């Protein structure tokens, strides 16, 4: 299981939100590129970037800093979400060097687009499923739909999606642990790789995710590694050892 550092971008800065609320923001650095270099130096094997401004605007907003981060990553893959709603945007990001783009709101609004994107850019499309009380949230988490997260995962399973990133909004940025039950349920419901997100606070949360019945592809962590309650290198080491033990 990969431990994947998150770099959330707002107005060109590296930030973290609490429960997806743009008014509850903590600025961690005015230099996201330096933050990326820090996690790469610590041994990160993948980075997770979110264009928060883009997620709320419905179109890219932080391309310049994203391009600078990608330039620092070499062979380390970068996955990116936020405001990606058309094929042209996907193509531009892939040309920039992004490994996978993450579709969110549009996966709910237009499932056919997900299939089209997967067909045109095979191996490069992930879907972010953000849920509150089991239901999918859209539009930068500002709206909760009537679609169950597990149902959406099953609907897109045959589209050719590379992986699902599952975030429990109620846990995200709150440092209160992950929603193990919901994450485990989603992982068991589909065959595609699952990346967990939201709520990781300490090393025991990594251990608990490693012990799920179906192994996860990865877990995204943000606030915990920025505030120091989780040591990134130790977390990845634990995850590596857990895989070997199993």
């Amino acid at each position: 299981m990969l431990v994947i550092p998150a770099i959330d971008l707002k107005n060109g800065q590296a930030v973290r939100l609490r429960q997806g609320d743009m008014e509850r923001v903590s600025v961690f650095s005015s230099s996201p590129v330096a933050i990326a270099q820090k996690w790469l130096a610590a041994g990160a094997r993948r980075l997770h970037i979110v264009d928060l401004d883009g997620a709320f605007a419905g179109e890219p907003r932080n391309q310049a800093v994203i391009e600078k981060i990608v330039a620092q990553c070499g062979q380390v893959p970068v996955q990116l979400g936020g405001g990606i709603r058309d094929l042209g945007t996907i193509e531009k990001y892939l040309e920039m060097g992004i490994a996978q783009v993450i579709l969110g709101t549009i996966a709910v609004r237009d499932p056919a687009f997900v299939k089209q994107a997967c067909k045109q850019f095979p191996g490069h499309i992930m879907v972010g499923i953000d849920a509150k009380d089991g239901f999918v949230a859209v539009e930068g988490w500002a709206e909760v739909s009537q679609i169950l997260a597990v149902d959406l995962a099953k609907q897109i399973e045959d589209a050719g999606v590379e992986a699902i990133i599952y975030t429990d909004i109620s846990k995200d940025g709150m440092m209160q642990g992950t929603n193990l039950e919901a994450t485990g349920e989603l992982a068991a419901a589909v065959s595609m790789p699952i990346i967990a997100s939201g709520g990781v606070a300490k090393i025991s949360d990594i251990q608990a995710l490693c012990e799920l019945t179906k192994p996860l592809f990865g877990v995204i962590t943000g606030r915990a590694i920025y505030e120091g309650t989780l040591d990134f290198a130790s977390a990845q080491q634990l995850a590596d050892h857990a895989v070997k033990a199993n």
Side-chain angles (χ1 to χ4, degrees):
M1 183 178 77
L2 291 180
V3 180
I4 307 170
I7 303 175
D8 291 359
L9 302 174
K10 185 176 186 292
N11 298 325
Q13 297 178 311
V15 307
R16 289 299 288 170
L17 306 183
R18 293 183 184 272
Q19 298 179 318
D21 188 343
M22 289 287 268
E23 300 302 318
R24 303 172 70 190
V25 59
S26 300
V27 177
F28 286 114
S29 176
S30 59
S31 177
V33 175
I35 290 294
Q37 291 170 331
K38 174 182 178 180
W39 301 133
L40 292 169
R45 300 173 205 160
R46 176 175 284 266
L47 293 181
H48 175 80
I49 300 177
V50 179
D51 179 355
L52 292 172
D53 301 303
F56 281 85
E59 60 184 19
R61 283 287 190 264
N62 286 281
Q63 301 102 308
V65 68
I66 291 168
E67 188 168 11
K68 290 177 182 178
I69 291 172
V70 173
Q72 296 294 317
C73 288
Q75 299 302 309
V76 175
V78 176
Q79 59 193 45
L80 170 72
I84 301 170
R85 311 282 172 88
D86 60 75
L87 295 174
T89 299
I90 295 173
E91 186 171 18
K92 287 178 182 177
Y93 276 136
L94 295 181
E95 289 175 350
M96 185 188 294
I98 295 294
Q100 280 89 28
V101 299
I102 304 160
L103 304 180
T105 294
I106 197 166
V108 178
R109 304 285 195 224
D110 187 3
F113 177 79
V114 177
K115 291 184 179 181
Q116 184 181 7
C118 289
K119 184 177 181 179
Q120 188 161 335
F121 307 106
H124 294 291
I125 307 299
M126 293 180 169
V127 169
I129 297 182
D130 306 326
K132 186 174 184 179
D133 299 323
F135 290 92
V136 176
V138 294
E139 304 297 345
W141 299 356
E143 177 186 338
V144 178
S145 73
Q146 296 301 306
I147 301 172
L148 287 169
V150 171
D151 290 343
L152 178 59
K154 290 178 179 178
Q155 288 172 20
I156 64 173
E157 186 166 17
D158 296 329
V161 171
E162 188 74 2
I164 286 175
I165 298 172
Y166 177 70
T167 303
D168 186 301
I169 294 174
S170 64
K171 298 289 187 179
D172 190 72
M174 299 305 290
M175 303 280 285
Q176 296 174 353
T178 60
N179 190 330
L180 286 171
E181 183 178 357
T183 303
E185 179 184 355
L186 187 77
V190 294
S191 59
M192 72 187 77
I194 303 296
I195 298 173
S197 176
V200 170
K202 50 189 183 297
I203 198 75
S204 59
D205 296 322
I206 301 296
Q207 180 68 51
L209 288 168
C210 289
E211 292 172 355
L212 288 174
T213 302
K214 180 181 176 181
L216 300 177
F217 175 78
V219 55
I220 294 166
T221 177
R223 185 175 293 275
I225 55 174
Y226 286 97
E227 295 188 351
T229 64
L230 178 69
D231 178 74
F232 169 76
S234 298
Q236 185 61 72
Q237 185 177 39
L238 171 65
D240 289 343
H241 288 166
V243 170
K244 292 177 183 178
N246 291 331

